[in-house]
Amino acid sequence: MAARVVMKQLVIAIDGYSSCGKSTTAKAVASALHYAYVDTGAMYRAVTLYLLEHQIAFDDLPRVEQALHTLQISFRRNRRTGRNEVFLDGVNREDDIRQMVISNSVSEVSVIPMVRHAMVAQQQRMGRRRGVVMDGRDIGTTVFPDAEVKVFMTADVVVRAQRRQIELADNGEQVALDDIIENLRKRDHLDSTRAESPLRRAPDAVLLDTTHLVIDEQVDFVLERVSAALFAPHV
């Protein structure tokens, strides 16, 4: 019997440090492939926003657990901008979760085991049908260790801080570069040393250093890996 080529629905895991271009790259890859896109970092930011707004201390675990049973996180595509935006309890909070006050606290929230368990379970439900691009910290190691394509992104911390400063300025928030560098280093440490699903490169993940790359080059890099995995001969 002649071999035939069958298109597979893949899970594409893009992990790495903050402000390396993960979300922008993942969105573009998802768009090119007509895949769903899930920004898992936005989910942790949404939980952080909820806890802060409801004045729930991060170490008040009974109230944190109650909040996890109460809050609702979803993504909706903005037809005007073409981007997926995060909704918290039915309200668009995309801009709110990108504020520096959330960046300063999100790593503390994401180390809470019950938070990670709840978010990972939701992410796995989202990707159950495959045909999805997810970016985050632990997609290739914890959420979808069987992902067909795994990319781990990194970049020089100063370059990352400069990118983050531009993003904040676009949202009307002016933050000193040194403060952003300090925030990124703190988050890197917390994310890499937490006991629950630490940030680390999966053994089978391809390293992508974006320090000197523009977004189109990052997207092409990922799509090249997808091309190698997308079609498989079956006898």
Side-chain angles (χ1 to χ4, degrees), residues 16-189:
Y17 297 97
S18 301
S19 302
C20 290
K22 294 194 309 294
S23 295
T24 305
T25 297
K27 289 174 190 174
V29 169
S31 177
L33 298 172
H34 302 288
Y35 274 20
Y37 164 67
V38 178
D39 178 358
T40 64
M43 298 171 71
Y44 291 101
R45 285 176 172 269
V47 174
T48 303
L49 177 65
Y50 186 96
L51 297 181
L52 290 174
E53 290 190 337
H54 289 79
Q55 299 181 345
I56 299 174
F58 301 158
D59 59 357
D60 188 346
L61 298 185
R63 292 193 68 197
V64 171
E65 183 175 19
Q66 182 181 26
L68 290 171
H69 289 302
T70 302
L71 63 85
Q72 306 249 336
I73 300 171
S74 61
F75 292 93
R76 301 180 194 174
R77 183 174 178 81
N78 185 317
R79 293 181 180 178
R80 181 176 58 84
T81 64
R83 68 176 184 172
N84 270 12
E85 298 176 334
V86 68
F87 281 67
L88 179 60
D89 293 335
V91 179
N92 188 331
R93 307 303 300 272
E94 180 67 27
D95 291 336
D96 296 328
I97 66 169
R98 306 298 173 183
Q99 295 177 33
M100 195 66 183
V101 64
I102 304 300
S103 297
N104 285 334
S105 298
V106 65
S107 289
E108 295 177 55
V109 172
S110 65
V111 301
I112 303 171
M114 66 178 65
V115 173
R116 294 213 72 82
H117 294 164
M119 295 301 102
V120 167
Q122 185 169 340
Q123 291 154 16
Q124 289 173 333
R125 286 194 296 272
M126 290 177 174
R128 190 170 293 154
R129 295 184 179 180
R130 311 189 82 78
V132 64
V133 183
M134 285 195 181
D135 74 78
R137 303 287 192 281
D138 60 349
I139 310 306
T141 55
T142 300
V143 183
F144 282 103
D146 63 340
E148 291 87 353
V149 177
K150 298 180 184 180
V151 177
F152 188 91
M153 295 175 66
T154 187
D156 178 81
V157 69
V158 175
V159 172
R160 292 161 54 202
Q162 290 169 339
R163 293 170 179 170
R164 178 68 176 139
Q165 189 177 48
I166 292 171
E167 179 185 355
L168 290 167
D170 288 343
N171 288 331
E173 193 172 359
Q174 303 298 322
V175 182
L177 187 65
D178 287 345
D179 291 341
I180 300 175
I181 291 174
E182 181 181 356
N183 169 260
L184 290 176
R185 285 177 171 157
K186 174 186 174 184
R187 292 180 63 188
D188 290 349
H189 176 74

Side-chain angles (χ1 to χ4, degrees), residues 1-26:
M1 183 180 295
R4 60 189 178 88
V5 176
V6 177
M7 178 179 287
K8 299 185 292 186
Q9 290 291 294
L10 309 181
V11 171
I12 301 168
I14 301 180
D15 292 310
Y17 297 97
S18 301
S19 302
C20 290
K22 294 194 309 294
S23 295
T24 305
T25 297

